[in-house]
Amino acid sequence: MRVVITGGPSSEPIDEVRVLTNTSTGELAITLYEQFIAAGHQVELLLGRGAVCRRPEAQAFTRNEDLESLLQGIARRQEVGLVLHAAALSDFSVRAVDSHQRPAALGKLPSGQQGWSLVLEPKPKVIARLRNLFPVSRLIGWKLEQDGNPEAVLAKAQRQITEHHLNGCVVNGRAYGPGFGVCTGAGLIHHADSKAGLARFLVATTDLSYRQ
């Protein structure tokens, strides 16, 4: 089966040398990649350039738009059986810097300034485009939440599945607790204690239909 895995962080320019990004390492995506390769699947790995963990086979992206362009190219080439969208993408871009609305990514902000204010604006979500790009694929999203409780996280996962026409969602983060949960529209179907355990479960269930 042909599998696509996204992972690592995207980034948004503040100026020509500074970016807004996050702490995603890409380790989970690589763990998934290695397990699916070992099981005999054909896998394409797309990793954010800021990922600490790397694989030479990975295609690199910087911004959300770069990842979406790579996904569009994959969708045009061949049918995909499964998409695991684990990338930690930017929710915001930098519209302007400081109170004078200086355009973002213009030159290098002087380091002697006492402080700068960033004006952020929401970015379109790549996950909202996945079903159009991969109409017959099984699509699994990710939901990392630090605040709240497990019940609230699972409710958000089910909303993600419904809103974006996914087959499932993996939840993790402090609000969920240790490990990872795999959800469908019917709720939590599996808990994994580790990245490797999650990968083994997803490999073992590639023949299941997650669609609700």
Side-chain angles (χ1 to χ4, degrees):
M1 179 176 67
R2 194 159 179 244
V3 179
V4 174
I5 300 172
T6 72
S10 65
S11 61
E12 288 293 321
I14 297 173
D15 60 19
E16 290 182 356
V17 299
R18 301 178 180 94
V19 298
L20 183 70
T21 188
N22 60 67
T23 59
S24 177
T25 65
E27 180 183 0
L28 174 59
I30 289 176
T31 301
L32 294 167
Y33 172 83
E34 290 173 347
Q35 293 269 5
F36 274 89
I37 287 289
H41 297 287
Q42 180 185 353
V43 187
E44 295 199 48
L45 176 63
L46 312 180
L47 274 182
R49 293 186 188 278
V52 175
C53 301
R54 310 296 310 175
R55 289 283 305 210
E57 308 92 328
Q59 301 178 63
F61 64 88
T62 302
R63 303 183 71 191
N64 296 10
E65 293 85 348
D66 302 326
L67 173 59
E68 185 166 350
S69 179
L70 289 173
L71 292 170
Q72 288 171 345
I74 290 170
R76 285 193 293 267
R77 289 199 303 272
Q78 186 179 343
E79 186 173 298
V80 171
L82 175 66
V83 178
L84 301 173
H85 184 48
L89 300 184
S90 301
D91 293 317
F92 301 96
S93 60
V94 181
R95 186 178 72 202
V97 181
D98 83 15
S99 59
H100 300 294
Q101 303 292 287
R102 173 192 177 109
L106 181 63
K108 179 180 180 292
L109 300 178
S111 58
Q113 179 80 8
Q114 290 298 310
W116 295 96
S117 297
L118 302 183
V119 180
L120 305 181
E121 61 183 359
K123 291 184 67 69
K125 290 187 175 294
V126 173
I127 197 170
R129 293 272 295 131
L130 289 182
R131 181 52 67 192
N132 286 336
L133 289 174
F134 304 100
V136 299
S137 304
R138 290 189 296 282
L139 305 179
I140 308 298
W142 252 255
K143 177 64 67 173
L144 182 149
E145 293 290 335
Q146 300 294 66
D147 300 315
N149 56 52
E151 291 74 21
V153 176
L154 295 175
K156 288 182 179 181
Q158 289 183 280
R159 284 198 296 273
Q160 185 191 80
I161 291 168
T162 300
E163 290 174 6
H164 301 306
H165 309 288
L166 308 180
N167 303 104
C169 176
V170 175
V171 297
N172 68 304
R174 188 170 59 238
Y176 175 73
F180 301 84
V182 181
C183 304
T184 69
L188 183 68
I189 63 168
H190 182 75
H191 172 82
D193 293 330
S194 65
K195 295 179 178 70
L198 172 65
R200 287 193 295 270
F201 174 78
L202 293 174
V203 169
T205 55
T206 53
D207 58 338
L208 293 182
S209 174
Y210 286 92
R211 189 167 302 172
Q212 298 296 315

